Amino acid sequence: MQSFRSEIENPLVEKDILELERKIRLFKEGQVDEERFRSLRLARGVYGQRQLGVQMVRIKIPYGKVTSEQLHRIADVSDEYSRGRLHITTRQDIQIHYVSLDRTPELWAQLEKDDITLREACGNAVRNVTASETAGIDPNEPFDITPYAHATFQFFLRNPICQEMGRKFKMSFSSTDDDTALSFMHDLGFIAKTKKIGDTEVKGFKVLLAGGLGSQPRHADVMYEFLETDLLIPTIEGVLRVFDRFGERSKRAKARLKFLVKDLGLDGFLTLVENEKRALAYQSYPIDTSDFESEITFESTEVPTVQIDNQQDFELWKSTNVIKQKQEGLFAVGIKVHLGDFYTDKARKLADLIKQYAANELRFTLRQNILIRHVREEFLPFFYTELQKLGFAEAGYDSIADITACPGTDTCNLGISSSTGIAVELERVLKAEYPQYISNKDVTIKISGCMNACGQHNMAHIGFQGMSIKSGNLVAPALQVLLGGGVLGNGEGRFSDKLIKVPSKRGPESLRLLLNDFDTNKNVEESFLNYYDRQGKTYFYDLLKHLSDTTNLVEDDFIDWGHDKNYVKAIGVGECAGVVIDLVATLLFESEEKLDNATEAFENGQWSDSIYYAYSAFVNTAKALLTSEGVKTNTHDGIINNFQETFVATNRIELSENFPALIYQINKNKPSKEFAYNYLNQAKGFYQKIDTFRKLVVEN
């Protein structure tokens, strides 16, 4: 297990992997509580699977970009530690399944050889930073957002301010007003803009705040119409600090940023962000874009000779899967990846193809697909024939027939009914019965196995959510049908209306009814959303109502798609960054670790990091004592105030000043060496006082 030490060049990464290995050992020895261990492994991309004894490992791929070398590395790891299948997520990550927990540190070390991380791919942290897959090649973009997405990923990876928040935090960057990265449904969404200031054209972003999907979708607020790029990182840090301090931590269903902003109001939240400015290490953070401006080069310039067997199929493929880049003579090629799943044999061949003929870059997309970039026009026939050999030349990239679906009951603990199974059947229906829709990119179909919306069903034109339905004493798999969602552009979007619940086996018929009605009754050039609005929700409810009748179910209705046995509703404990129950001793142990991190950061001259680690130790230590008394610890702010009322105001704990004043020095002082030194020593002194108090209580 220790053999990877000499292979890791980055000491921070080595420390991280060794810490995961150590905590696995302590957990198996019974020295670390299961719930706390879950929190730690989630922050390292290791996620419990529906099947007992194995893990899903999520590989964090910033804005979906991979090189040939990285794709080879991922394929090697999947073959060695998993089953050779790769799954592209709607956040441009890669997931592999059925991994042994004991082997995860070694797996991670192998990935890091090609600069690939698992860190914060899951858990209560900043998740993968997503972006438009056409960033840098879109003819309509004001500028390439790639370096800004990359800088955001780098700055907040392992950043102490966002390691143990109440819930996950998601960010996206859209290249154009088309908003292909879906800013309106993110905690923070950024849309590229430019603005004339005097004679200078300045780069910046429209900033969207506190959007989200799930069971209670919320449209993001406009935080700023225009934020200059130099203020991007400080603004994100301010938002994260406020979320960390005031966000809910006990009630998981209310722990996302959207609930905090709703409670505080936009103005109230922005005031708190403004109050954090003094504490930031950077008031301005210019982002160097030079590494992303290099000339596009190719390993091979010789065009291989190929024979196109069916010219009509080739032309259809070009019309649906090939995108003209802003770079003269270059094109991007979209690969429709069925359900986001592909295998390592194909991954390696694809990796070799892009290295030799396509400038060594592809991006995984938000629709669970692959986009190859920088393909010369004369090479398109060659790419078509090569992709045909891999089964990657199916027409309909990003069309209605390109259905997005989460893994559902295949591997997820929270899956209620099969999302992949119904997706397979709906794609079959579209291909066989509605070939005219293969080129339709104006309608989207998305499917989630539960209400958590990993498949983004509640922002689709046509969405399906996995459910169950009763018929007498029996339970059948079901689908909630949703209509009317979509991306409107420039930070605007709409969420789908919940229409009706039907048995899963009637899902295909519901799709037929909807498409047939649309084809028959729409006005000329009328979009699906306009048609839906004109007809109204009740019209579509009446259209599908007869499908919801459960008095006439047959035997097949009780068998879910992709299964051969009767449906059993089985929901496990979800690990989508759920808040965990902390034991007092574990909390105090963690406070010691935070103080060690603060000391190390101080010794390395990282004043801001040291201060935030010390702040976390203060709060964590106070939380331990409040937990021992059964006092609420829902938010950091609540912990600080409750500790004052419970222990300081009652003279049970004596401090030189009230506890909030002690803690909130953090946002009243610049992150200087002197303040970092004093604050760290105060945190150490506070811990020693609480540890002594706790030992006396336990002994008595």
Side-chain angles (χ1 to χ4, degrees), residues 404-673:
T404 299
C406 71
T409 51
D410 290 356
T411 55
C412 179
N413 282 322
L414 295 178
I416 297 174
S417 66
S418 175
S419 44
T420 57
I422 182 62
V424 169
E425 181 61 19
L426 293 184
E427 286 197 1
R428 188 198 65 76
V429 168
L430 286 165
K431 278 189 240 179
E433 303 174 30
Y434 299 89
Q436 71 273 26
Y437 275 94
I438 298 301
S439 300
N440 186 311
K441 295 178 182 284
D442 298 323
V443 181
T444 59
I445 298 175
K446 295 176 181 284
I447 306 170
S448 298
C450 74
M451 66 181 179
N452 283 330
C454 295
Q456 303 172 345
H457 66 279
N458 48 9
M459 56 152 286
H461 296 81
I462 303 173
F464 297 94
Q465 177 192 326
M467 304 189 86
S468 61
I469 196 166
K470 279 194 171 184
S471 177
N473 294 325
L474 298 176
V475 179
L479 296 167
Q480 175 87 57
V481 182
L482 302 93
L483 295 178
V487 183
L488 303 180
N490 196 26
E492 294 291 331
R494 48 190 280 176
F495 299 119
S496 314
D497 293 325
K498 293 179 181 177
L499 210 66
I500 198 166
K501 184 162 70 169
V502 303
S504 287
K505 287 299 174 72
R506 296 176 187 173
E509 185 59 22
S510 68
L511 180 62
R512 292 187 184 98
L513 288 169
L514 291 168
L515 294 181
N516 290 343
D517 190 81
F518 179 52
D519 285 344
T520 303
N521 298 315
K522 70 177 179 180
N523 294 329
V524 177
E525 301 299 323
E526 186 173 32
S527 71
F528 185 86
L529 289 182
N530 287 341
Y531 179 67
Y532 176 74
D533 290 341
R534 178 166 64 82
Q535 298 287 35
K537 180 179 178 180
T538 302
Y539 174 87
F540 291 96
Y541 173 82
D542 292 338
L543 180 69
L544 301 179
K545 184 178 178 181
H546 67 284
L547 296 180
S548 67
D549 184 5
T550 60
T551 62
N552 57 358
L553 297 185
V554 297
E555 185 177 349
D556 188 54
D557 288 316
F558 295 95
I559 301 173
D560 208 351
W561 293 104
H563 295 261
D564 55 11
K565 296 179 181 177
N566 275 10
Y567 170 77
V568 176
K569 182 179 178 181
I571 306 174
V573 177
E575 293 195 351
C576 297
V579 177
V580 295
I581 300 170
D582 302 304
L583 299 175
V584 177
T586 303
L587 281 167
L588 290 173
F589 174 68
E590 288 175 351
S591 293
E592 291 181 13
E593 291 184 329
K594 294 177 193 300
L595 289 171
D596 288 343
N597 289 336
T599 301
E600 183 178 351
F602 182 84
E603 290 172 350
N604 291 332
Q606 299 165 328
W607 318 134
S608 181
D609 286 1
S610 177
I611 291 165
Y612 212 87
Y613 279 127
Y615 161 80
S616 299
F618 267 124
V619 175
N620 209 67
T621 304
K623 180 180 180 180
L625 216 50
L626 289 171
T627 300
S628 70
E629 303 245 335
V631 180
K632 280 187 177 182
T633 57
N634 294 46
T635 67
H636 275 193
D637 187 61
I639 290 168
I640 293 164
N641 291 322
N642 286 341
F643 188 86
Q644 172 67 23
E645 293 176 9
T646 306
F647 292 103
V648 181
T650 59
N651 295 318
R652 297 174 67 188
I653 299 289
E654 292 185 6
L655 299 176
S656 58
E657 56 187 316
N658 71 60
F659 193 55
L662 179 64
I663 287 281
Y664 288 134
Q665 294 178 84
I666 189 173
N667 58 15
K668 293 179 173 57
N669 289 272
K670 293 180 180 179
S672 64
K673 178 179 181 180

Side-chain angles (χ1 to χ4, degrees), residues 212-261:
L213 294 180
S215 60
Q216 299 180 58
R218 182 183 191 272
H219 195 294
D221 297 315
V222 177
M223 185 177 182
Y224 300 113
E225 285 290 349
F226 187 82
L227 179 76
E228 293 183 30
T229 57
D230 289 2
L231 299 177
L232 174 69
I233 296 298
T235 298
I236 297 172
E237 181 172 350
V239 170
L240 288 170
R241 282 172 175 262
V242 172
F243 179 48
D244 191 37
R245 187 166 303 139
F246 295 95
E248 172 66 41
R249 289 173 180 272
S250 295
K251 299 174 184 175
R252 180 180 177 276
K254 296 289 185 182
R256 291 296 297 272
L257 179 68
K258 60 185 178 182
F259 296 108
L260 178 60
V261 173

